């Protein structure tokens, strides 16, 4: 694999951005926008997925990057749980709920695979060196 120069090129970051955009769309098109506490939590969780990938990328070495990816993966689970709360409160439709769940599961799987890759990679360099 060629060396990646910026976090915007990472597939896991691109997927996280899609999640953030979908969550923002839900705020504008559903009743979640009226539930400030849940909206705030969902915005924080979705943003955390994306932001931890970016921050971890600019840390030194695989070990620290993997830690930040782990935080992102946890935030995807947190957002998934919040999707259940939104659905149970009838703030989103079943279709919207399923889409958000699918996006979170896909992201968790991709982050997990990327973490595994980093643990076993021989890529050298400031961003991807083995610790």
């Amino acid at each position: 694999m060629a060396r990646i120069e910026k976090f915007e090129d990472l597939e896991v970051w691109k997927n996280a951005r899609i999640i953030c955009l979908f969550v923002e769309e839900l705020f504008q098109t559903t009743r979640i926008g009226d539930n400030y506490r849940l909206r705030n939590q969902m915005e924080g969780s979705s943003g955390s997925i994306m932001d931890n990938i970016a921050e971890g990328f600019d840390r030194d070495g695989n070990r620290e990057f993997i830690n930040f990816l782990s935080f992102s993966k946890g935030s995807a689970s947190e957002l998934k749980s919040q999707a259940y709360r939104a659905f149970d409160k009838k703030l989103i439709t079943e279709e919207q709920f399923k889409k958000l769940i699918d996006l979170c599961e896909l992201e968790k799987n991709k982050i997990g695979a990327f973490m595994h890759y980093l643990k076993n990679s021989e890529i050298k360099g400031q961003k991807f060196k083995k610790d």
Side-chain angles (χ1 to χ4, degrees), residues 37-105:
R37 183 178 173 129
L38 184 57
R39 177 188 171 138
N40 190 39
Q41 290 172 333
M42 292 178 78
E43 186 171 35
S45 297
S46 62
S48 180
I49 299 167
M50 192 170 150
D51 296 344
N52 277 306
I53 294 167
E55 184 174 354
F57 180 84
D58 282 328
R59 296 291 178 135
D60 292 328
N62 286 2
R63 184 174 291 129
E64 239 185 318
F65 190 15
I66 289 167
N67 286 337
F68 278 85
L69 289 169
S70 181
F71 299 146
S72 289
K73 191 174 174 187
S75 293
S77 290
E78 185 177 27
L79 182 60
K80 182 179 173 184
S81 179
Q82 293 158 354
Y84 277 95
R85 291 174 43 218
F87 181 68
D88 291 344
K89 292 176 183 256
K90 300 182 182 355
L91 300 174
I92 58 176
T93 67
E94 186 172 357
E95 181 181 329
Q96 292 164 327
F97 167 74
K98 286 181 179 179
K99 180 174 180 180
L100 185 53
I101 294 294
D102 289 346
L103 287 169
C104 289
E105 279 300 311

Side-chain angles (χ1 to χ4, degrees), residues 6-7 13 16 22 29 33 49 53 69 72 79 105 107 111 117 128:
K6 56 187 183 171
F7 68 80
W13 185 85
F22 182 67
T29 61
I49 299 167
I53 294 167
L69 289 169
S72 289
L79 182 60
E105 279 300 311
E107 184 69 347
I111 290 171
Y117 171 78
F128 292 97

Side-chain angles (χ1 to χ4, degrees), residues 13-31:
W13 185 85
K14 291 175 185 178
N15 290 338
R17 186 175 180 201
I18 289 168
I19 291 171
C20 283
L21 291 170
F22 182 67
V23 168
E24 184 62 35
E25 179 183 312
L26 289 176
F27 296 159
Q28 297 172 12
T29 61
T30 69
R31 293 184 40 232

